[in-house]
Amino acid sequence: MIEPINTPDAPQPIGPYNQAIKAGDFLFISGQIAINPETNKLVVGDITVEARMVFENIYQILKKAGLTFSNVVKSTIFLKDLSSFPIVNEIYSEYFKQPYPARETVEVARLPKGVNIEVSVIAYCK
């Protein structure tokens, strides 16, 4: 069974997709960028502020599904500039604890709306 998961506490999708899809025992959270759900405006410029907004948005989607960061088994981080990796890694460790999920971090040429970071995750629902 496939179930869409959406919450007003995270940014609404900017295209034809859901914030997340629950499929069986897994939750697939779409890539999140630094949009403040209260204002629907981008939070851009400082990678620290952007990363925190992204992880707060992921937190709200996990919460809507009855999950936490401890349920996340895989994360993908897209960065506009890989030199911000140490900062993002530090913020990441504030949200994720041992055992850490599997992860990859890649530098990309462009991200939606010109943001500096986008993160998607897969969570296990049991």
Side-chain angles (χ1 to χ4, degrees), residues 42-116:
L42 282 174
V43 177
V44 292
D46 181 293
I47 190 65
T48 302
V49 173
E50 280 190 54
R52 286 190 199 288
M53 184 84 265
V54 166
F55 290 118
E56 286 300 317
N57 291 337
I58 291 169
Y59 166 76
Q60 291 299 331
I61 297 167
L62 287 167
K63 182 178 168 184
K64 174 69 175 183
L67 305 173
T68 68
F69 281 100
S70 66
N71 294 95
V72 174
V73 295
K74 176 78 167 61
S75 64
T76 302
I77 301 173
F78 302 97
L79 293 174
K80 189 173 174 182
D81 182 354
L82 203 54
S83 69
S84 22
F85 178 77
I87 296 166
V88 171
N89 206 39
E90 184 178 318
I91 294 165
Y92 184 93
S93 69
E94 295 172 14
Y95 291 87
F96 294 93
K97 305 299 179 200
Q98 289 280 3
Y100 299 115
R103 178 180 90 177
E104 65 264 333
T105 303
V106 294
E107 182 179 73
V108 295
R110 292 184 66 201
L111 287 166
K113 297 193 174 274
V115 298
N116 294 303

Side-chain angles (χ1 to χ4, degrees), residues 7-27:
T7 176
D9 297 324
Q12 297 309 299
I14 59 175
Y17 60 90
N18 286 290
Q19 292 170 339
I21 292 289
K22 184 173 186 274
D25 291 337
F26 291 92
L27 181 72

